[in-house]
Amino acid sequence: MPNILLVKTSSLGDVVHNLPVVSDIIEHVPDAHVDWVVEEGFAGVPALHPGIERVIPIALRRWRRRLLAPATWREIGALRRAVQARRYDLVLDTQGLLKSALIAALAAGAVTGQDRKSAREPSAAWFYQRVFPASRDLHAVIRNRELAAKALGYPTPATPPNYGLRVPINTETAATLPARYAACFHGTSRDDKRWPDAHWVNLGRALGSRGLTLLLSWGDTQEHARAQTIAASIPNAMVPATRLGMRELPTVLAKAAVVIGVDTGLMHLAAALGRPTVAIYVDSAPRLSGAFPSDPASAVNLGGQGTPPQVAEVIGALERLGVV
């Protein structure tokens, strides 16, 4: 039985885009044991895939801030022991960054990744024993699946991606949700990816008149304040009192009538769950990183770099999805 370690640490959207690799491996190498190294804040996502035996969390973001602390080095030592506890027949780094390559190199097994021309950081290829090309003109999901197929020697999949997610409904969270709502993700790590607040207000009013409550999630104090500002101008809009974590968010996504979000990991998670999804792009290209569900009819990508969509376009997309 081959042992396989996947290294895809972050961000949330990248982690989601790597999930079909697990399903492909289980299909083509059904006796495989698959583990995954991932940033601790996103560890709940690969844990939702039944094909993953062991999720190995890391804390690079936290470790960087406390690099000299003894506790940090104890945790790094624990990571090394975790990835060396099992001898791997394949250690596959689909991230192609120096940090991910260094993590992969800690594991007990031959490391495979993208070649220098394909990797996001060419220096990552120095740490791989085997390398393969992966076209940078392909969507991230296709790139990941293609690399895994080359590494394991099965045909490059031409089937729709299978994200394999199994989401247990959190009944406590479900009880707090409106009867019919649109889960809206306005926050993003980059201001240039934000959709204007006025657009969210106009969209919320339009959806409210059609019987949909806007649920505006948030991740930090700044996003919380912005969500409250937007909600103040929309009748019946809802802003959760507390930050929703990975314990609550899969339920929020699974129960939503539709998910509307900018280019953020939670939008990609909604698409992976097969929820009707409208992805709003303001300063990035959906061709390479857009919502990519198993059923193409369940998601609509709008906008692009420098061409944010108008409210009417979003409403039109919702009509095509049969939500309004």
Coordinates of all heavy atoms in Angstrom, one line a residue, residues 1 10 18 123 207 217 229 304:
M1 N 0.8 -1.2 0.0 CA 0.0 0.0 0.0 C 0.9 1.2 0.0 O 1.6 1.5 1.0 CB -0.9 0.0 1.2 CG -2.0 -1.1 1.3 SD -3.1 -0.9 2.6 CE -4.2 -2.3 2.4
S10 N -1.2 26.6 2.1 CA -2.1 27.8 2.1 C -2.1 28.3 0.6 O -1.4 27.8 -0.2 CB -1.6 28.9 3.0 OG -0.3 29.3 2.6
N18 N -6.8 22.0 -4.3 CA -6.0 20.7 -4.2 C -6.8 19.5 -3.9 O -6.3 18.4 -4.0 CB -4.8 20.9 -3.3 CG -3.6 20.0 -3.5 OD1 -3.1 19.9 -4.7 ND2 -3.2 19.3 -2.5
S123 N 13.3 28.4 -7.3 CA 14.2 27.8 -6.3 C 13.7 26.6 -5.6 O 14.4 25.8 -5.1 CB 14.7 28.9 -5.3 OG 13.6 29.4 -4.6
L207 N -32.0 41.8 -3.4 CA -32.2 40.4 -3.0 C -33.2 40.4 -1.9 O -34.1 39.4 -1.8 CB -30.9 39.8 -2.6 CG -29.8 39.6 -3.6 CD1 -28.7 38.7 -3.1 CD2 -30.4 38.9 -4.9
S217 N -20.6 37.8 6.3 CA -19.6 37.2 7.2 C -18.4 38.2 7.3 O -18.2 39.1 6.6 CB -19.1 35.9 6.6 OG -18.2 35.2 7.5
T229 N -21.5 48.4 8.5 CA -21.8 49.6 7.7 C -22.7 49.2 6.5 O -23.7 49.9 6.2 CB -20.5 50.2 7.2 OG1 -19.7 50.6 8.3 CG2 -20.8 51.4 6.3
G304 N -13.1 40.7 -13.8 CA -11.8 40.3 -14.1 C -10.9 41.4 -13.7 O -11.3 42.3 -12.9

